[in-house]
Amino acid sequence: MIRPGRSLYSRIILIIAVVFAAGSVALGTAAWFYARIAADDAYDRLLVGAALQIAESIYAQEGAISVDPPVSAFETLSLSVNDRIFYKVVDPRGEVLTGYDDLAPAGSFADAREPLISDGEYRGFPVRVAVVGRLVSDPVAPGWTHVIVAQTREARASLTRDLTLKALLLVFAMTSLAFMGVLFAVRRALEPLTRVERELRSRDPKDLTPLDLEIPREIQTLVFTINRFMDRLSGRIALMQRFIADAAHQIRTPLAGLASQVDLLTEETRPERREQQLNRVRERTAELGRLTNQLLNHAMIIHRAEIAEFDTIDLAVLARQMLINAVPLSLDRDVDISFKEPPDPVLMRGDAVSLREALSNLIHNALKHGAETRLEVRVFAEDDAAIVEVVDDGPGIPVSEWQQVREPFHTKSATGSGLGLSIAGDVVRAHGGELRFRERSEDGFAVILHFRRLRDAPKPPDSGDAL
């Protein structure tokens, strides 16, 4: 039973949407990261510039180091009204010349010769700290003085948010456009499946001709499978219709004859004539029963040709058992029945039920319509072939009729149904073999079943299990 599920379109779109969402999150994270780096880089330049201006104002006079921080050093940093600025100037001896005594960067800065920038925290505020050193060349108190300038991160955070938001808007716009394009592309890509669906829905239920559509490579296997299925279904329906028509035609005649015999029986008053009519009714009933059995067996063979699983079979065991089962048919006649058994098992892959029916029909035909005094069944292997021969000393079948007798209901016998050789032929074809005949000679007339032999196979079950 087919259980309805999500459409292929929705599955593809869901997967693509998840990929796009993950990509957007990754791009958003990357945008925030690079926006923060850009904001820090911009404000770090201002922070170092302010520290350098303060450092330029340091001077030494008569052994005393002084500093006069210029106002311009803080004007640029004060453009952000929400940020706070802290600074400190330290002389070579480590004494604070001006600024906040407790301001200190993370790590040691005594040996700093180039500007140092680091993150830190001051008075509960996250800050960005810049350290700039300047060499004082005073002969009395030479050494390095250091300027430490710290700024809170509000302006940086604001710039980071602004840059990130603009980047996210761009990512969102591009993702939306790409997603809309993907929706259109997927819909177009799945259109051949929709065409196949429309073609199948619009067809008449009796129309089983192959689909003739221009389709992409990706669904060629699907359409090929559908066409192959419809071809097989068409063949099965045609076979079934032919079988029903043939069966109706073949059964109609004996039924009509039986009805006539019953009518005559009911009208006959003479005892001897009633007995004759009763015997004819029995004959007609037996004939109809045989025909019905043959028709059912033929239908079974046709059905099993498609579904039966093959097993390893010893053809000699199967043929010998079928010959034993047929012995009662010859009890009212003087017929010499023999079986020529091979020295080694003759193995093949096949359906035991179908093979048993084929052999049974051949032996039954030989006993009823062929053998006069002798019937022999031979099983042997020849190269890669497994062969069964049913040989009798009857008149045989003329060469001109060899092809005709393979067709259903072809018979010249008044009591035969014409299905025996047809059933055998269907079974042999289903096993990839061939039904052959050998002209009548001193050895007799032979019907031959020619199969593919199986070599080096495990020993099959004994006759009781196989049959």
Side-chain angles (χ1 to χ4, degrees), residues 13-86:
I13 294 304
L14 178 60
I15 293 174
I16 294 176
V18 171
V19 172
F20 273 26
S24 298
V25 171
L27 289 175
T29 303
W32 173 84
F33 179 76
Y34 287 112
R36 181 173 179 178
I37 292 177
D40 279 342
D41 184 64
Y43 278 96
D44 285 348
R45 292 175 184 272
L46 297 178
L47 194 61
V48 172
L52 289 174
Q53 289 185 52
I54 295 174
E56 289 295 329
S57 68
I58 298 174
Y59 61 93
Q61 187 177 7
E62 298 179 358
I65 299 176
S66 301
V67 60
D68 185 13
V71 177
S72 60
F74 304 102
E75 287 180 345
T76 304
L77 296 178
S78 63
L79 292 177
S80 176
V81 296
N82 295 323
D83 270 332
R84 301 183 64 181
I85 302 170
F86 311 97

Side-chain angles (χ1 to χ4, degrees), residues 153-185:
R153 301 190 61 94
E154 280 79 1
R156 298 167 187 264
S158 177
L159 180 59
T160 299
R161 285 193 299 271
D162 184 57
L163 293 176
T164 302
L165 180 60
K166 290 179 179 178
L168 288 177
L169 289 175
L170 181 60
V171 169
F172 178 75
M174 295 302 297
T175 302
S176 299
L177 288 175
F179 192 69
M180 295 298 293
V182 166
L183 291 178
F184 176 75

